[in-house]
Amino acid sequence: MKISGRDVLLAIDVQNDFCTGGALAVPGGEKVVPAINRIAQRFANVVLTQDWHPRDHVSFAANHAARRPFETVELDYGTQVLWPTHCVQGSAGAEFHRDLDIVGPSLVVRKGFRRGIDSYSAFYENDRKTPTGLLGYLHERELKTVFVAGLALDFCVRYSAEDARKAGLEVVVVEDACRGIDLDGSIAATHKSFKALGIAVVGFEALL
């Protein structure tokens, strides 16, 4: 595939807590790093996202009495999965993986920093209406096609890809530069959603 100056690589949450040994490790999460490093060299525009939670964040199971990670609760904005405490602001777990080699990303988007609401998508928080500002940035830069990679395929990658597509952008998910959690069939549901929305799924070698 040909990459142009109107394309952007969106690398989702390549952080220590989502890699082996982290608080919310995605199986094989660190394996996305070499692929992302390679394809990032093709892009003039690279955006990184970073989960950036306060310690008292509403999505942490530890902040709900008698609740365990991966249970769900109903919040003002809908059903919320409760997660292990992860990507706490300023912690080592919130840092980007040490081998991620992105020189001078165009933008770093921090999400999930409001105590009372989680944020999977790079574009909107989980109330589906509070924007991160990324969409406005892409419009101002006249970037038309979003290539999405990172962690986790069936949560933050999925929500980011869907929101980009619903906003009228062309979207390509680089599947082998992603890893998933697969919670209750979430990977199969992700592929079904991508197909329904017309989101392309490719291997990273298509971009080399």
Side-chain angles (χ1 to χ4, degrees):
M1 300 180 69
K2 186 176 181 180
I3 306 301
S4 79
R6 295 285 180 245
D7 299 336
V8 58
L9 175 63
L10 183 56
I12 303 290
D13 298 354
V14 188
Q15 295 168 259
N16 290 329
D17 268 345
F18 296 127
C19 297
T20 298
L24 184 51
V26 178
E30 67 282 355
K31 294 180 180 179
V32 306
V33 174
I36 290 174
N37 287 345
R38 287 188 69 187
I39 61 179
Q41 298 174 20
R42 301 287 314 278
F43 288 83
N45 307 291
V46 179
V47 172
L48 305 180
T49 72
Q50 187 176 26
D51 251 16
W52 195 248
H53 299 307
R55 188 164 292 279
D56 61 349
H57 197 254
V58 71
S59 75
F60 294 164
N63 295 327
H64 297 263
R67 293 286 190 168
R68 293 176 174 271
F70 308 109
E71 292 182 0
T72 60
V73 294
E74 294 302 317
L75 300 177
D76 291 345
Y77 56 82
T79 303
Q80 172 67 52
V81 177
L82 296 178
W83 304 107
T85 300
H86 67 280
C87 295
V88 172
Q89 295 172 2
S91 69
E95 294 175 2
F96 293 116
H97 191 279
R98 65 183 179 277
D99 294 331
L100 186 66
D101 185 19
I102 307 294
V103 179
S106 309
L107 182 70
V108 175
V109 176
R110 285 178 168 170
K111 58 191 181 65
F113 56 83
R114 294 178 173 88
R115 188 202 71 79
I117 185 169
D118 206 3
S119 185
Y120 298 156
S121 171
F123 294 90
Y124 293 97
E125 296 198 334
N126 282 8
D127 62 359
R128 316 307 301 140
K129 60 185 179 183
T130 302
T132 64
L134 177 57
L135 186 58
Y137 173 84
L138 298 183
H139 285 329
E140 287 288 331
R141 296 284 306 278
E142 298 183 347
L143 302 176
K144 306 295 187 184
T145 303
V146 179
F147 291 77
V148 191
L151 305 169
L153 173 67
D154 40 340
F155 284 91
C156 296
V157 169
R158 174 184 175 176
Y159 278 66
S160 299
E162 289 174 348
D163 282 348
R165 188 73 188 104
K166 290 172 184 176
L169 298 166
E170 294 298 318
V171 182
V172 180
V173 172
V174 189
E175 185 171 25
D176 49 3
C178 302
R179 291 295 186 278
I181 296 173
D182 204 14
L183 187 62
D184 297 327
S186 52
I187 287 181
T190 295
H191 283 288
K192 184 176 179 180
S193 173
F194 287 170
K195 184 175 181 179
L197 290 170
I199 294 171
V201 178
V202 302
F204 83 94
E205 291 187 356
L207 307 183
L208 300 179

